[in-house]
Amino acid sequence: MSPDSGGAREQSGSRWRVSVAVGEGLRNWRHGRWLTWAATILITAAFAVPAIVDGVGVSRLVAAERAWEAAGGRVLVATNDNAGGVPRAACEAASRIDGIAASASLTRLTARAGLVNAPDADLPVVAAGAGVSGLLGAHGGGAILPPDIADTLRVTAGNAIWVSGTTTRAADGPPILTDAAADIPTGRVTVGVVTDTTLLGERYAYALLLPATATGLAEACFVRAEPGHLDAARDALPTLLASGGQDAVVADRLISGDYVRDYATEYRQRGLKDAPWAVGAATALLWLLLVWVRRSRDGLYTTLGADGPTRAVIRTTEGLALVGSSTLAAGTVAFGVLTIAGADLTAVAGGTGRHLAIATTVAIIGVVASAGLPFGTPLAALKDR
């Protein structure tokens, strides 16, 4: 609305009340016509587009990191062939150390297993410590089966199987239980969970995993480190899992090298990380341009009795309304597009929110800072009208 509105006329010749100045600023924003609409569209696009592009990139990065973790990222394997293995108890206890998310001791037995319901199954057997459930992210207790073996046996989680025998395989004939040294349950065993075990690698993944007591030595200890603790765990495990005076040998579950992606670094160095600061500054400059284009208003408000602080309140109110409405529209557009694009909203919501918050804050600072800028004398402003 033009400055000769009713509220302005009422204040002519006297000092304006703050409420009237605020109302005038809001009226200017509501009735700004094409210039305000164009500015709103530009600011909304400037806020939303970088947030969308950055959100999609972060979502893909998170998905890639999760796939890497599922395949064995941040998993270390400790062995000690010279000492006959690593201590089971120390391996299982490692999960209680800060920076280690899970640990499990594993031994692939030379024995094979036959089941009562499938006596010729000839299954590979792995004696697994209690921590294997946490390592695989599959809690249930009892035996663990990979999906292919479970499908072959036609069993599901909760079913009971009967382990009829484990022993070193003879040259001929099916395996029969005679080896008590295996230290694993026999007879009726409940299938606790059917889950993907490829994290354990070929040697341990495609086998019947039976719970073993945490005594003696294990062939290997699998340890999953928490983010940011991989190097510390790699350095500590050799001594922690030492046996017979021999330090354990620790290796990454996945091959590492110069071409392995560093997801944390990629996230920190992504190109649009600092975009909201630039977007906010650009919005502040756009607002300055709008104020300059409409500088004749200052002269009119002066003739109606509005002093400098009053004109600053009017100008600031209009600017804040413009930025606030644009931010609301940008947030709606950004989250809507990210949802349609299939982005992981749980992973990107915080970053997108921070992007909009930073851009909005910088823009508001610019609007407030420009409130008191002089734009020539009232007479000069009126001549430019």
Side-chain angles (χ1 to χ4, degrees), residues 37 40-45 47-49 52 321-337 356 360:
W37 282 106
T40 300
I41 293 172
L42 283 175
I43 296 172
T44 298
F47 279 25
V49 171
I52 293 170
L322 175 63
V323 172
S325 60
S326 299
T327 299
L328 181 61
T332 302
V333 171
F335 282 103
V337 173
L356 296 175
T360 301

Side-chain angles (χ1 to χ4, degrees), residues 368-383:
V368 174
S370 66
L373 292 180
F375 289 94
T377 64
L379 181 59
L382 291 173
K383 286 182 177 179

Side-chain angles (χ1 to χ4, degrees), residues 307-333:
D307 56 11
T310 299
R311 296 196 301 273
V313 170
I314 296 172
R315 190 185 301 166
T316 300
T317 301
E318 182 182 1
L320 293 180
L322 175 63
V323 172
S325 60
S326 299
T327 299
L328 181 61
T332 302
V333 171

